[in-house]
């Protein structure tokens, strides 16, 4: 590759649509605090997209930190590790925070945080070993989706994957853990970037960040500049801050100008997109061998007393997390996992934190949370903000009358449920809900 | 602990924009035109506007009630229809006819088709056309009252509108036409309906709507632009003739406030262009070749009817779909 002056890239392709949301990054300057070890953790066997794990321990077993307690031989999955040391007191079905059921292992702490002997840095010399190591680490996308990372990295060699895109855009309001990761763990990111690049053979690595995070920008720029003399593979790209700039397909478009076709993955156009915290984790894991047992989350929202960024053992009860942040200052009407745009509303706090949850936000009732629902006025806002060029208002109508033919033609399957349409709709239509219904109808039709 | 947690689909954030807010913006944008109508036609213009608006809101309230559907007068769309309708009337229109217009617009055209967002033709324009057919004398174009006259007296002075005069100027020869000055055309000192005379007020309102992102400029620009091109050609290159055509009649009112009606215009950019050009084309044809000096209402209503077809042809391809790529490659 010819040596380019290592400036900062600007987006190659420009996505359409999108909305301006209030950032509310209140916790941006709050360093990640470590939350005290809880007395008990509950570890669901389904903390990722794909096949659930099967418990490998039984009631009464003594487990140590980092020991595998759930696994499966299915490919699309990721093992679950004990996040504290202690005794297994229950193995059975529990209700997750958003209401789904999952098998789970409960561990009561012995207070020792004794590390498992299995923890040692993995030996990695090639792609296959790297993928195996990443699977063993239990890593899933830390940005919210929870897709097992090793599946992403294990792309077929004939796909000509040449670009790794590292997503540090964090375009959802409130959440700042990725930003903190950039500021606090640049070394881990650096090591993660170079290992991934080395073993997976990317021709370019593009770190993408929104232009409203100058401090993280400076740090990432240093990382990108480190290889100036050795081929300049790593580049930093700034993006206008706009939602959903961080969505995978949008990232691929901005970084490479390529468009992921409907029903395809970024790998089909030669890209892998990874969240920056996941990259930092890979860097750390290759060094220490410590699997995914805790994670940083942002606790914020209008109802919480002391917003914080905290590092929490996975499986910690949500109520404990809220209590650690001073409890509620007013009665919350809505509590969500993840950001306001794509997060999931919770029905209970008596549930564990899972691997993919990057934020716990609680909100009081306000007009920016709910809007009076009225009839569609065909203003076209939902259409002009849709990054996928869909017509949400029409799709809503087709879904209501189960018009399968029209739904097929509507392209609904490319909808990424980014929420821009519902956000923008002046009539407060719950469009995303109908987008999901529409997909459901098509799936049932086969 | 929180007992009443709301569990609903994402997103858990909403923009500040509301239907009511949008309609309020339209009302604000109409304000200059309303004020100028009072300046030119006196308090009767105000009374007429109040009557159409109040009737429209009341009609909306009652029809929703009768149909046992939720009350929607709060979204202000009925008020908007009422005001726009008034702007379409001659200032001396009997109040009871005006009230009938509002009832037709709201009950027959809007609510019988399911309310806001459902009607396939613009309520105000349809009502205007129905009244023109039913009460030709009261609504007749040549009988618009002349501004500054006492519009309360039964025998208010009337004069031919610039549009009627322009019809005499075939081929752009303005010598036979008795036209007001260009400045009077812009400010509204000429015959016409209450709201259409002052083009300047309408343009200010239109700019406000565009700045507030309530409407996209595509339809007004393509509509007016098409009329400009065709009247320029028909006038044999006479720019003055073209400008009279643009400022006269209901073109500004129609292009800015009625052709842009969300419900009855295409949503997509491409569709808007086709719609705007179509409106301009039909207006020009009616004005130039037809016996009618005014074509705006008919052109909009005809294009309204075509909207579903236009929408079908202009559907955007979903992100990354093969066709979209092929198109790009073909262009490259
Ligand atoms: S944004 Fe809402 S009101 Fe506007 S067209 Fe879409 S669904 Fe209808
Ligand atoms: S239709 Fe889907 S992709 Fe488009 S704005 Fe709505 S949620 Fe986002």
């Amino acid at each position: 590759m010819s040596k380019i002056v290592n400036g900062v890239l600007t987006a190659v392709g420009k996505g359409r649509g999108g909305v301006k949301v209030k950032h509310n990054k209140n916790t941006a300057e709050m360093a990640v605090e470590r939350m005290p070890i809880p007395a008990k953790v509950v570890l669901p066997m389904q903390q990722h997209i794909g096949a659930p794990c099967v418990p490998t321990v039984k009631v009464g077993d003594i487990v140590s930190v980092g020991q595998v307690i759930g696994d499966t031989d299915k490919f699309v999955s990721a093992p679950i590790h004990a996040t504290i040391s202690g005794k297994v007191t229950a193995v059975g079905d529990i209700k997750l925070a958003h209401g789904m059921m999952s098998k789970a292992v409960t561990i009561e702490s012995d207070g020792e945080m004794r590390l498992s002997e299995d923890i040692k840095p993995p030996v990695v010399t090639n792609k296959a070993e790297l993928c195996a190591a990443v699977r063993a680490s239990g890593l899933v996308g830390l940005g919210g989706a929870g897709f097992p990372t090793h599946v992403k990295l294990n792309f077929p060699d004939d796909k000509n994957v040449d670009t790794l895109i590292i997503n540090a855009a964090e375009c959802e309001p409130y959440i700042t853990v990725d930003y903190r990761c950039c500021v606090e763990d640049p070394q881990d990111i650096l090591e993660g970037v170079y290992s991934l690049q080395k073993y997976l053979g990317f021709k370019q690595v593009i770190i993408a960040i929104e232009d409203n995070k100058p401090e993280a920008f400076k740090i990432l720029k240093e990382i990108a500049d480190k290889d100036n003399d050795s081929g300049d593979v790593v580049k930093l790209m700034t993006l206008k801050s706009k939602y959903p700039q961080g969505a995978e397909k949008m990232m691929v478009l901005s970084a490479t100008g390529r468009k992921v076709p409907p029903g395809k993955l970024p790998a089909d156009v030669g890209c892998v997109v990874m969240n920056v915290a996941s990259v930092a984790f890979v860097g750390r894991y290759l060094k220490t061998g410590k699997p995914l047992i805790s994670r940083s989350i942002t606790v914020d929202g209008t109802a919480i007393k002391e917003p914080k960024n905290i590092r929490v053992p996975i499986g910690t009860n949500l109520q404990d997390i809220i209590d650690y942040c001073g409890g509620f200052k007013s009665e919350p009407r809505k509590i969500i996992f993840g950001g306001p745009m794509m997060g999931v509303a919770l029905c209970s706090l008596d549930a564990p934190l899972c691997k993919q949850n990057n934020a716990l936000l609680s909100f009081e009732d306000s007009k920016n949370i709910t809007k009076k629902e009225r009839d569609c006025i065909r203003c076209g806002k939902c259409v002009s903000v849709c990054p996928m060029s869909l017509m949400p208002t029409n799709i809503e109508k087709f879904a209501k009358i189960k018009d399968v033919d029209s739904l097929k033609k509507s392209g609904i399957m490319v909808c990424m449920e980014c929420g821009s349409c519902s956000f923008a709709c002046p009539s407060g239509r719950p469009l995303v809900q109908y987008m999901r219904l529409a997909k459901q109808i098509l799936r049932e039709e086969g | 602990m929180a007992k009443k947690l709301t569990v609903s689909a994402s997103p858990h954030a909403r923009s500040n924009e509301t239907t009511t807010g949008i309609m309020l913006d339209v009302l604000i944008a109409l304000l200059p035109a309303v004020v100028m109508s009072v300046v030119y036609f006196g308090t009767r213009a105000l009374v007429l506007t109040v009557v159409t608006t109040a009737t429209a809101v009341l009609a909306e309230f009652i029809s929703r009630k009768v149909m046992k559907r939720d009350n929607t007068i709060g979204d202000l769309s009925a008020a908007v229809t009422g005001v726009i309708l008034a702007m379409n009337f001659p200032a001396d229109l009997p109040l009871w006819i005006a009230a009938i217009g509002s009832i037709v617009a709201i009950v027959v055209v809007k609510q019988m088709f399911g309310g806001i967002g459902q009607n396939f033709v613009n309520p105000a324009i349809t009502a205007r056309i129905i009244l023109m057919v039913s009460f030709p004398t009261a609504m007749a174009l040549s009988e618009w009252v002349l501004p500054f006259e006492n519009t309360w007296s039964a025998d208010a002075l009337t004069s031919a509108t610039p549009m009627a005069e322009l019809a005499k100027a075939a081929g752009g020869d303005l010598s036979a036409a008795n036209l007001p000055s260009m400045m009077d055309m812009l400010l509204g000192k000429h015959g016409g309906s209450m709201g259409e005379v002052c083009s300047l007020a309408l343009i200010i309102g239109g700019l406000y709507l565009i700045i507030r992102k309530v409407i996209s400029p595509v339809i007004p620009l393509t509509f007016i632009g098409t009329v400009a091109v065709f009247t320029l050609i028909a006038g044999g290159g006479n720019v003055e003739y073209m400008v009279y055509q643009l400022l006269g009649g209901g073109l500004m009112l129609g292009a800015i406030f009625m052709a842009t009606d969300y419900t009855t215009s295409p949503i997509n950019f491409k569709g808007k262009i086709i719609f705007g050009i179509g409106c301009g084309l039909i207006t020009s044809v009616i004005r130039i070749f037809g016996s009618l000096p005014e074509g705006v209402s008919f052109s909009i209503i005809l294009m309204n009817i075509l909207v579903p077809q236009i929408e079908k042809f202009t559907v955007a391809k979903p992100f990354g779909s093969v066709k979209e790529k092929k198109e790009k490659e073909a262009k490259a």
Side-chain angles (χ1 to χ4, degrees), chain A residues 28 90 297 326 342:
Chain A
I297 65 165
M342 290 187 76

Side-chain angles (χ1 to χ4, degrees), chain A residues 259 261-262 319 333-334 336 340-341 343 368 371 376-379 381 383 388-389 419 422-423 426-427 432 436, chain B residues 1 4-6 8 10-19 116-117 213 262-263 265 311 317-320 324:
Chain A
K259 283 189 172 178
Q319 186 64 53
R333 278 309 299 277
K334 208 170 209 182
I336 55 177
M341 296 301 284
N368 286 339
K371 197 186 281 186
C376 167
I377 54 172
R378 273 180 50 93
C379 68
K381 298 254 144 84
V383 179
M388 295 286 114
S389 303
S422 301
F423 175 85
S427 305
V432 174
R436 291 196 188 126
Chain B
M1 230 309 283
K4 293 174 294 176
L5 285 182
T6 316
S8 60
S10 60
H12 313 290
R14 293 286 196 268
S15 65
N16 291 323
E17 218 165 12
T18 59
T19 307
I116 195 164
K213 293 211 163 74
Y262 291 148
T263 309
S265 66
E311 295 244 279
K317 293 281 171 297
F319 182 91
E324 188 185 50

